[in-house]
Amino acid sequence: MFYTIDDIYALPEGERAELIDGRIYDMAPPTRKHQRIAGELFALIREYIKAGNGSCEVDIAPFAVFLNEDDSNYVEPDISVICDKSKLTDKGCFGAPDWIIEIVSPGSRRMDYHTKLFKYRSAGVREYWIVDPEKYRIFVYNFESEDTIDYAFSDSIKAGIYDDLYIDFSGIADLLDI
């Protein structure tokens, strides 16, 4: 069966799902560890943008991204950075964000590493980070340069879409000892 965004909006209250190429993927509620990592990353990126009077906007899930500006693709990345504000409406982002970060949960592993990796690349996302708290790894995909780098939670990682934003994951690693 082929689903559309109308089917996502028709889900029962409190039920969350994503839609990729007309297929619905249910989403489990995030863990506390997941939320703490997402919150910390969001705060670091937001402060960087604010301090530099940046033109980009950072949003945290649940935040609707209509990847291909069609009715068969709807995702809620953990962190989305959008630099073209013409893509933004009250409903979310229409088109690909510049930078997406997904934090892996046990139930999202295959989606984050495979399905979304391919979808984000083909939709025009410039940079995609997979933060895997279970493996203590961060996989950075820079789709513009075709680079993929594997980092540890002890590393400081440069955001490819900015000249001088580095995120020190050693501080975030401290959040994992909940």
Side-chain angles (χ1 to χ4, degrees):
M1 179 158 212
F2 188 85
Y3 295 95
T4 68
I5 290 170
D6 290 338
D7 296 304
I8 292 292
Y9 286 120
L11 291 171
E13 184 72 28
E15 191 173 319
R16 290 179 54 213
E18 293 180 306
L19 178 69
I20 297 178
D21 296 330
R23 183 172 174 198
I24 290 181
Y25 296 89
D26 293 327
M27 297 173 65
T31 64
R32 184 169 162 240
K33 182 185 299 186
H34 179 284
Q35 289 302 90
R36 291 192 64 193
I37 294 168
E40 187 68 16
L41 288 169
F42 171 79
L44 290 168
I45 296 166
R46 185 189 65 214
E47 288 309 310
Y48 171 84
I49 292 170
K50 283 174 64 175
N53 292 317
S55 61
C56 300
E57 177 177 305
V58 60
D59 290 286
I60 191 168
F63 175 73
V65 174
F66 306 90
L67 273 177
N68 299 104
E69 298 183 65
D70 61 23
D71 68 348
S72 63
N73 288 284
Y74 167 96
V75 292
E76 293 182 4
D78 292 313
I79 306 285
S80 301
V81 178
I82 301 101
C83 298
D84 178 355
K85 291 195 178 176
S86 71
K87 293 180 179 181
L88 298 170
T89 72
D90 280 344
K91 287 190 169 204
C93 177
F94 288 81
D98 293 270
W99 179 18
I100 288 178
I101 301 173
E102 294 283 10
I103 299 144
V104 177
S105 299
S108 73
R109 185 165 298 284
R110 180 168 174 70
M111 282 289 292
D112 294 337
Y113 278 103
H114 300 287
T115 308
K116 287 184 176 180
L117 172 65
F118 174 77
K119 194 65 193 172
Y120 291 159
R121 176 185 285 137
S122 63
V125 172
R126 293 168 54 198
E127 185 169 355
Y128 175 41
W129 290 18
I130 300 173
V131 177
D132 194 329
E134 191 175 294
K135 294 182 179 182
Y136 286 84
R137 308 302 297 170
I138 304 96
F139 297 90
V140 174
Y141 298 87
N142 184 323
F143 296 137
E144 293 180 318
S145 67
E146 300 292 324
D147 290 337
T148 301
I149 303 174
D150 174 10
Y151 293 96
F153 266 70
S154 56
D155 292 328
S156 183
I157 303 173
K158 183 185 177 304
I161 69 165
Y162 292 110
D163 292 332
D164 58 352
L165 172 59
Y166 290 84
I167 296 180
D168 181 2
F169 270 82
S170 63
I172 293 171
D174 295 340
L175 298 175
L176 300 181
D177 298 324
I178 295 174

